[in-house]
Amino acid sequence: MPSTNGPRTTSATVKRQRAIQSTIERDDAQAKLRKRASSKKSAAKKTGKPENPLPAQHQKKPGLERDLDPRPQFLAPTYAGSGKLAGMTALITGGDSGIGRAVAVLFAREGADVAIVYLCEHSDAKETRDYVEAEGQRCLLIPGDVRDPAFCREAVARTVKEFGKLSVLVNNAAFQEHAESIEDITDKHFDETLRTNLYGYFQMARAASPHLGSGCSIINTGSETGLFGNDRLLDYSMTKGGIHAFTKALAASMVSRGIRVNAVAPGPVWTPLNPADQPAERVREFGQSSAMGRPAQPEELAPAYVFLAAPSCASYITGAVLPVMGGPTP
Protein backbone atom coordinates (compact mmCIF):
# COMPACT_ATOMS: atom_id res chain seq x y z
CA MET A 1 0.00 0.00 0.00
CA PRO A 2 1.31 3.53 -0.72
CA SER A 3 2.51 5.36 2.37
CA THR A 4 0.09 8.02 3.67
CA ASN A 5 2.68 10.35 5.12
CA GLY A 6 4.51 11.03 1.84
CA PRO A 7 3.34 14.63 1.18
CA ARG A 8 3.72 15.56 4.86
CA THR A 9 7.23 14.09 5.01
CA THR A 10 8.23 15.81 1.77
CA SER A 11 6.95 19.20 3.00
CA ALA A 12 8.82 18.84 6.27
CA THR A 13 12.01 17.91 4.42
CA VAL A 14 11.81 20.95 2.13
CA LYS A 15 11.21 23.26 5.13
CA ARG A 16 14.11 21.70 7.01
CA GLN A 17 16.48 22.00 4.06
CA ARG A 18 15.52 25.62 3.46
CA ALA A 19 16.09 26.42 7.14
CA ILE A 20 19.62 25.00 6.86
CA GLN A 21 20.11 27.01 3.68
CA SER A 22 18.97 30.24 5.35
CA THR A 23 21.40 29.77 8.23
CA ILE A 24 24.35 29.33 5.89
CA GLU A 25 23.30 32.28 3.74
CA ARG A 26 23.31 34.52 6.82
CA ASP A 27 26.82 33.29 7.62
CA ASP A 28 27.89 34.18 4.07
CA ALA A 29 26.52 37.69 4.36
CA GLN A 30 28.28 38.27 7.69
CA ALA A 31 31.59 36.92 6.40
CA LYS A 32 31.34 39.00 3.15
CA LEU A 33 33.23 36.37 1.23
CA ARG A 34 32.82 37.40 -2.34
CA LYS A 35 35.84 36.46 -4.43
CA ARG A 36 36.13 36.67 -8.16
CA ALA A 37 38.57 34.52 -10.08
CA SER A 38 39.74 34.87 -13.66
CA SER A 39 37.85 32.62 -16.05
CA LYS A 40 39.42 29.98 -18.26
CA LYS A 41 37.55 30.60 -21.48
CA SER A 42 39.64 28.88 -24.13
CA ALA A 43 38.54 25.29 -23.37
CA ALA A 44 34.90 26.34 -23.14
CA LYS A 45 35.04 28.06 -26.52
CA LYS A 46 36.48 24.95 -28.16
CA THR A 47 33.66 22.73 -26.88
CA GLY A 48 30.79 25.14 -27.46
CA LYS A 49 29.71 24.72 -23.84
CA PRO A 50 28.63 27.69 -21.69
CA GLU A 51 31.72 29.41 -20.35
CA ASN A 52 32.56 31.21 -17.12
CA PRO A 53 31.60 33.57 -15.74
CA LEU A 54 28.10 32.11 -15.55
CA PRO A 55 25.20 34.47 -14.79
CA ALA A 56 24.94 35.20 -11.07
CA GLN A 57 21.88 33.38 -9.74
CA HIS A 58 20.52 31.68 -6.67
CA GLN A 59 17.58 29.34 -6.00
CA LYS A 60 15.69 28.10 -3.00
CA LYS A 61 16.12 24.39 -2.36
CA PRO A 62 15.66 21.93 -3.90
CA GLY A 63 16.08 24.06 -7.05
CA LEU A 64 14.45 23.87 -10.47
CA GLU A 65 16.19 23.12 -13.74
CA ARG A 66 13.66 25.16 -15.70
CA ASP A 67 14.85 28.32 -13.89
CA LEU A 68 18.59 27.87 -14.56
CA ASP A 69 20.39 30.30 -16.86
CA PRO A 70 21.69 28.89 -19.12
CA ARG A 71 19.56 25.76 -19.22
CA PRO A 72 21.64 22.60 -18.67
CA GLN A 73 22.35 20.53 -21.76
CA PHE A 74 20.98 17.01 -21.38
CA LEU A 75 19.71 15.81 -24.76
CA ALA A 76 23.11 14.62 -26.08
CA PRO A 77 22.12 15.15 -29.74
CA THR A 78 25.25 13.43 -31.05
CA TYR A 79 24.65 10.28 -28.98
CA ALA A 80 23.03 7.51 -31.03
CA GLY A 81 21.33 4.69 -29.13
CA SER A 82 21.99 1.09 -30.12
CA GLY A 83 19.73 -0.97 -27.87
CA LYS A 84 22.30 -1.49 -25.10
CA LEU A 85 19.54 -1.46 -22.45
CA ALA A 86 16.71 -2.93 -24.51
CA GLY A 87 14.08 -4.62 -22.36
CA MET A 88 15.51 -3.28 -19.12
CA THR A 89 13.93 -1.15 -16.40
CA ALA A 90 15.78 1.55 -14.43
CA LEU A 91 14.93 3.40 -11.22
CA ILE A 92 16.75 6.74 -10.90
CA THR A 93 16.66 8.83 -7.72
CA GLY A 94 17.01 12.55 -8.28
CA GLY A 95 15.90 11.83 -11.83
CA ASP A 96 13.89 14.98 -12.38
CA SER A 97 16.83 17.22 -13.30
CA GLY A 98 20.58 17.52 -13.69
CA ILE A 99 22.56 14.30 -14.05
CA GLY A 100 19.50 12.19 -13.27
CA ARG A 101 17.51 13.72 -16.12
CA ALA A 102 20.32 13.23 -18.62
CA VAL A 103 20.74 9.61 -17.52
CA ALA A 104 16.99 9.00 -17.84
CA VAL A 105 16.99 10.33 -21.42
CA LEU A 106 19.96 8.21 -22.54
CA PHE A 107 18.69 5.10 -20.77
CA ALA A 108 15.45 5.54 -22.70
CA ARG A 109 17.36 6.09 -25.93
CA GLU A 110 19.07 2.76 -25.26
CA GLY A 111 15.70 1.00 -24.82
CA ALA A 112 15.00 1.07 -21.06
CA ASP A 113 11.81 2.06 -19.29
CA VAL A 114 12.52 4.53 -16.50
CA ALA A 115 11.07 5.29 -13.07
CA ILE A 116 12.08 8.62 -11.56
CA VAL A 117 12.22 9.39 -7.84
CA TYR A 118 12.25 13.08 -6.91
CA LEU A 119 11.44 15.22 -3.88
CA CYS A 120 8.87 17.84 -4.98
CA GLU A 121 10.08 19.31 -8.30
CA HIS A 122 6.92 18.28 -10.17
CA SER A 123 7.36 20.57 -13.18
CA ASP A 124 10.92 19.36 -13.81
CA ALA A 125 9.86 15.72 -13.36
CA LYS A 126 7.01 16.06 -15.86
CA GLU A 127 9.37 17.63 -18.38
CA THR A 128 11.80 14.75 -17.94
CA ARG A 129 8.95 12.28 -18.45
CA ASP A 130 8.08 14.02 -21.72
CA TYR A 131 11.64 13.58 -22.98
CA VAL A 132 11.79 9.92 -21.92
CA GLU A 133 8.49 9.22 -23.67
CA ALA A 134 9.75 11.07 -26.74
CA GLU A 135 12.48 8.41 -26.90
CA GLY A 136 9.72 5.79 -27.16
CA GLN A 137 9.89 4.44 -23.60
CA ARG A 138 7.62 4.48 -20.56
CA CYS A 139 8.30 6.74 -17.57
CA LEU A 140 6.91 6.52 -14.03
CA LEU A 141 7.13 9.52 -11.68
CA ILE A 142 7.45 8.78 -7.94
CA PRO A 143 7.67 11.83 -5.62
CA GLY A 144 9.00 11.26 -2.11
CA ASP A 145 11.89 11.40 0.33
CA VAL A 146 14.72 8.83 0.14
CA ARG A 147 15.46 9.55 3.79
CA ASP A 148 12.37 7.46 4.58
CA PRO A 149 13.01 3.69 4.35
CA ALA A 150 9.29 3.00 3.89
CA PHE A 151 9.22 5.31 0.88
CA CYS A 152 12.28 3.57 -0.61
CA ARG A 153 10.48 0.23 -0.37
CA GLU A 154 7.38 1.79 -1.90
CA ALA A 155 9.33 3.31 -4.81
CA VAL A 156 10.87 -0.04 -5.70
CA ALA A 157 7.53 -1.83 -5.34
CA ARG A 158 5.77 0.68 -7.61
CA THR A 159 8.50 0.34 -10.23
CA VAL A 160 8.28 -3.45 -10.24
CA LYS A 161 4.48 -3.34 -10.35
CA GLU A 162 4.46 -0.87 -13.24
CA PHE A 163 7.19 -2.44 -15.37
CA GLY A 164 7.29 -6.03 -14.12
CA LYS A 165 10.92 -5.96 -13.02
CA LEU A 166 13.90 -3.87 -11.97
CA SER A 167 17.19 -4.07 -13.83
CA VAL A 168 19.20 -0.99 -12.82
CA LEU A 169 19.13 1.20 -9.72
CA VAL A 170 20.80 4.60 -10.05
CA ASN A 171 21.34 6.27 -6.67
CA ASN A 172 21.69 9.96 -7.50
CA ALA A 173 19.59 12.08 -5.11
CA ALA A 174 21.68 14.37 -2.90
CA PHE A 175 21.65 17.21 -0.39
CA GLN A 176 24.49 19.75 -0.50
CA GLU A 177 24.93 23.01 1.42
CA HIS A 178 28.27 24.74 1.81
CA ALA A 179 29.72 26.05 5.08
CA GLU A 180 32.81 28.17 5.68
CA SER A 181 34.01 26.10 8.66
CA ILE A 182 33.14 23.00 10.63
CA GLU A 183 31.71 25.21 13.40
CA ASP A 184 29.06 26.45 10.95
CA ILE A 185 27.67 22.95 10.35
CA THR A 186 24.87 22.33 12.83
CA ASP A 187 23.71 18.90 13.92
CA LYS A 188 20.57 19.34 11.77
CA HIS A 189 22.66 20.29 8.74
CA PHE A 190 25.00 17.33 9.25
CA ASP A 191 22.11 14.94 9.79
CA GLU A 192 20.29 16.13 6.66
CA THR A 193 23.36 15.50 4.51
CA LEU A 194 24.08 12.05 5.89
CA ARG A 195 20.48 10.86 5.88
CA THR A 196 19.94 11.94 2.27
CA ASN A 197 23.28 10.97 0.77
CA LEU A 198 24.17 7.85 2.79
CA TYR A 199 20.96 6.54 4.34
CA GLY A 200 19.09 7.18 1.09
CA TYR A 201 21.59 5.20 -0.99
CA PHE A 202 21.71 2.33 1.50
CA GLN A 203 17.93 2.17 1.86
CA MET A 204 17.29 2.22 -1.88
CA ALA A 205 19.88 -0.50 -2.49
CA ARG A 206 18.43 -2.62 0.31
CA ALA A 207 14.91 -2.24 -1.09
CA ALA A 208 16.04 -3.02 -4.64
CA SER A 209 18.23 -6.02 -3.79
CA PRO A 210 15.50 -8.70 -3.69
CA HIS A 211 14.39 -7.71 -7.20
CA LEU A 212 17.84 -7.75 -8.82
CA GLY A 213 19.45 -10.76 -10.44
CA SER A 214 22.29 -11.75 -12.73
CA GLY A 215 22.99 -9.04 -15.31
CA CYS A 216 21.44 -6.30 -13.17
CA SER A 217 23.39 -3.44 -11.64
CA ILE A 218 23.49 -0.59 -9.15
CA ILE A 219 25.19 2.67 -10.07
CA ASN A 220 25.91 5.23 -7.34
CA THR A 221 26.74 8.88 -7.93
CA GLY A 222 29.89 9.77 -6.06
CA SER A 223 31.94 12.95 -6.49
CA GLU A 224 35.40 14.36 -6.89
CA THR A 225 34.86 15.66 -3.34
CA GLY A 226 34.87 12.04 -2.16
CA LEU A 227 38.34 11.65 -3.66
CA PHE A 228 39.94 15.03 -2.96
CA GLY A 229 37.71 16.68 -0.35
CA ASN A 230 36.35 20.21 -0.42
CA ASP A 231 37.02 22.69 2.38
CA ARG A 232 33.53 24.25 2.10
CA LEU A 233 31.70 20.91 1.76
CA LEU A 234 33.02 18.93 4.70
CA ASP A 235 29.89 16.90 5.35
CA TYR A 236 29.10 16.42 1.65
CA SER A 237 32.67 15.26 0.94
CA MET A 238 32.38 12.83 3.84
CA THR A 239 29.23 11.28 2.39
CA LYS A 240 30.67 11.00 -1.10
CA GLY A 241 33.75 9.24 0.23
CA GLY A 242 31.37 6.93 2.07
CA ILE A 243 29.47 6.26 -1.15
CA HIS A 244 32.69 5.22 -2.87
CA ALA A 245 33.48 2.79 -0.03
CA PHE A 246 29.88 1.54 0.01
CA THR A 247 30.10 0.90 -3.73
CA LYS A 248 33.18 -1.29 -3.36
CA ALA A 249 31.80 -3.18 -0.36
CA LEU A 250 28.40 -3.78 -1.95
CA ALA A 251 30.07 -4.92 -5.17
CA ALA A 252 31.97 -7.57 -3.21
CA SER A 253 28.76 -8.60 -1.46
CA MET A 254 26.68 -8.96 -4.65
CA VAL A 255 29.19 -10.32 -7.16
CA SER A 256 28.26 -13.94 -6.44
CA ARG A 257 24.70 -13.11 -7.54
CA GLY A 258 25.91 -11.66 -10.84
CA ILE A 259 24.94 -8.12 -9.79
CA ARG A 260 27.44 -5.39 -10.58
CA VAL A 261 27.83 -2.29 -8.38
CA ASN A 262 29.78 0.74 -9.60
CA ALA A 263 29.94 4.50 -9.11
CA VAL A 264 30.51 7.59 -11.22
CA ALA A 265 32.53 10.38 -9.59
CA PRO A 266 31.67 13.64 -11.35
CA GLY A 267 33.56 16.90 -11.14
CA PRO A 268 31.57 20.16 -11.22
CA VAL A 269 28.35 19.72 -13.22
CA TRP A 270 25.85 22.45 -14.12
CA THR A 271 22.66 21.38 -12.29
CA PRO A 272 20.12 22.98 -9.89
CA LEU A 273 22.16 21.60 -6.97
CA ASN A 274 24.72 24.37 -7.38
CA PRO A 275 22.66 27.62 -7.47
CA ALA A 276 20.63 26.11 -4.62
CA ASP A 277 23.86 25.78 -2.62
CA GLN A 278 26.13 28.70 -3.46
CA PRO A 279 25.59 32.47 -3.20
CA ALA A 280 24.83 34.08 -6.55
CA GLU A 281 28.29 35.59 -6.99
CA ARG A 282 30.03 32.27 -6.37
CA VAL A 283 27.88 30.63 -9.02
CA ARG A 284 29.52 32.93 -11.59
CA GLU A 285 32.82 31.10 -11.14
CA PHE A 286 31.40 27.59 -10.70
CA GLY A 287 33.55 24.97 -12.40
CA GLN A 288 36.31 27.26 -13.59
CA SER A 289 38.87 25.57 -11.33
CA SER A 290 38.61 22.35 -13.36
CA ALA A 291 41.33 21.58 -15.89
CA MET A 292 38.87 22.41 -18.68
CA GLY A 293 37.98 25.71 -17.05
CA ARG A 294 34.23 25.07 -16.99
CA PRO A 295 31.59 22.84 -15.42
CA ALA A 296 30.41 19.74 -17.24
CA GLN A 297 26.98 19.57 -18.78
CA PRO A 298 24.76 16.68 -17.61
CA GLU A 299 24.82 15.15 -21.10
CA GLU A 300 28.58 14.71 -20.69
CA LEU A 301 28.05 12.51 -17.61
CA ALA A 302 25.16 10.36 -18.82
CA PRO A 303 27.15 8.10 -21.21
CA ALA A 304 29.24 6.90 -18.25
CA TYR A 305 26.06 5.61 -16.60
CA VAL A 306 25.00 3.87 -19.82
CA PHE A 307 28.42 2.25 -20.04
CA LEU A 308 28.22 0.90 -16.48
CA ALA A 309 24.58 -0.22 -16.84
CA ALA A 310 25.01 -2.07 -20.12
CA PRO A 311 26.13 -5.71 -19.80
CA SER A 312 27.49 -5.47 -23.34
CA CYS A 313 29.95 -2.80 -22.16
CA ALA A 314 30.69 -3.47 -18.49
CA SER A 315 29.97 -7.15 -17.75
CA TYR A 316 33.47 -7.49 -16.20
CA ILE A 317 33.40 -4.22 -14.24
CA THR A 318 32.26 -4.04 -10.63
CA GLY A 319 33.45 -2.09 -7.60
CA ALA A 320 34.77 0.68 -9.86
CA VAL A 321 34.61 4.42 -9.19
CA LEU A 322 34.70 6.02 -12.63
CA PRO A 323 35.98 9.64 -12.55
CA VAL A 324 34.39 12.08 -15.00
CA MET A 325 35.96 15.29 -13.75
CA GLY A 326 37.23 17.30 -16.70
CA GLY A 327 40.80 16.56 -15.68
CA PRO A 328 42.91 14.58 -13.24
CA THR A 329 42.62 17.05 -10.35
CA PRO A 330 39.81 19.12 -8.79
Side-chain angles (χ1 to χ4, degrees):
M1 293 293 293
S3 60
T4 58
N5 64 346
R8 184 167 63 254
T9 300
T10 296
S11 177
T13 295
V14 172
K15 289 180 180 178
R16 187 172 56 252
Q17 292 185 359
R18 287 179 178 174
I20 293 169
Q21 180 184 25
S22 295
T23 299
I24 293 298
E25 288 172 355
R26 286 195 298 270
D27 292 340
D28 289 338
Q30 292 168 359
K32 294 182 180 180
L33 294 175
R34 296 291 186 269
K35 295 181 180 179
R36 295 176 180 264
S38 60
S39 62
K40 299 177 181 178
K41 296 184 178 180
S42 57
K45 288 179 179 178
K46 290 179 182 178
T47 61
K49 303 297 182 184
E51 60 187 53
N52 294 92
L54 293 161
Q57 57 199 289
H58 183 65
Q59 293 192 25
K60 291 295 184 183
K61 289 190 179 303
L64 289 173
E65 181 152 325
R66 66 177 184 179
D67 294 336
L68 285 185
D69 178 23
R71 289 290 298 270
Q73 298 172 9
F74 62 89
L75 284 175
T78 62
Y79 182 99
S82 58
K84 294 183 182 69
L85 305 180
M88 301 178 75
T89 292
L91 173 58
I92 305 171
T93 70
D96 58 291
S97 62
I99 294 173
R101 171 183 282 187
V103 172
V105 170
L106 286 200
F107 274 21
R109 193 170 299 170
E110 290 291 358
D113 291 323
V114 180
I116 291 171
V117 165
Y118 65 99
L119 189 58
C120 63
E121 308 92 321
H122 301 293
S123 59
D124 276 353
K126 290 176 181 177
E127 186 175 38
T128 301
R129 181 179 60 190
D130 291 342
Y131 282 106
V132 168
E133 292 177 345
E135 298 289 343
Q137 300 300 132
R138 294 177 292 172
C139 185
L140 174 65
L141 303 184
I142 310 175
D145 187 353
V146 297
R147 297 168 70 258
D148 179 2
F151 168 74
C152 294
R153 292 191 296 269
E154 177 189 332
V156 170
R158 287 184 60 185
T159 301
V160 173
K161 181 179 180 180
E162 180 76 13
F163 299 135
K165 61 182 175 181
L166 178 61
S167 311
V168 183
L169 169 66
V170 177
N171 275 318
N172 177 67
F175 176 78
Q176 173 184 311
E177 181 67 25
H178 70 280
E180 293 301 328
S181 72
I182 192 170
E183 291 90 348
D184 294 327
I185 301 175
T186 64
D187 289 345
K188 288 183 178 180
H189 182 161
F190 185 70
D191 188 60
E192 189 74 18
T193 308
L194 265 65
R195 287 192 172 274
T196 303
N197 301 0
L198 287 179
Y199 282 56
Y201 278 41
F202 178 87
Q203 288 162 179
M204 286 299 305
R206 182 175 60 186
S209 178
H211 302 279
L212 300 176
S214 182
C216 296
S217 65
I218 297 174
I219 306 172
N220 297 320
T221 299
S223 170
E224 67 174 14
T225 66
L227 298 171
F228 305 112
N230 184 300
D231 61 352
R232 301 179 77 245
L233 294 171
L234 300 180
D235 54 328
Y236 182 82
S237 299
M238 179 181 178
T239 63
K240 291 301 182 176
I243 288 166
H244 296 169
F246 175 55
T247 297
K248 294 176 181 294
L250 189 60
S253 175
M254 289 189 157
V255 67
S256 63
R257 295 169 54 192
I259 302 168
R260 297 176 297 104
V261 185
N262 295 291
V264 177
V269 187
W270 184 235
T271 77
L273 191 71
N274 308 297
D277 167 30
Q278 303 286 354
E281 284 305 308
R282 283 192 181 274
V283 171
R284 288 172 53 82
E285 57 196 49
F286 175 70
Q288 69 180 19
S289 61
S290 74
M292 291 190 179
R294 63 171 179 87
Q297 292 295 323
E299 66 185 12
E300 296 178 289
L301 271 292
Y305 290 80
V306 173
F307 169 73
L308 291 174
S312 61
C313 297
S315 62
Y316 199 61
I317 300 176
T318 194
V321 178
L322 178 61
V324 188
M325 302 184 298
T329 58

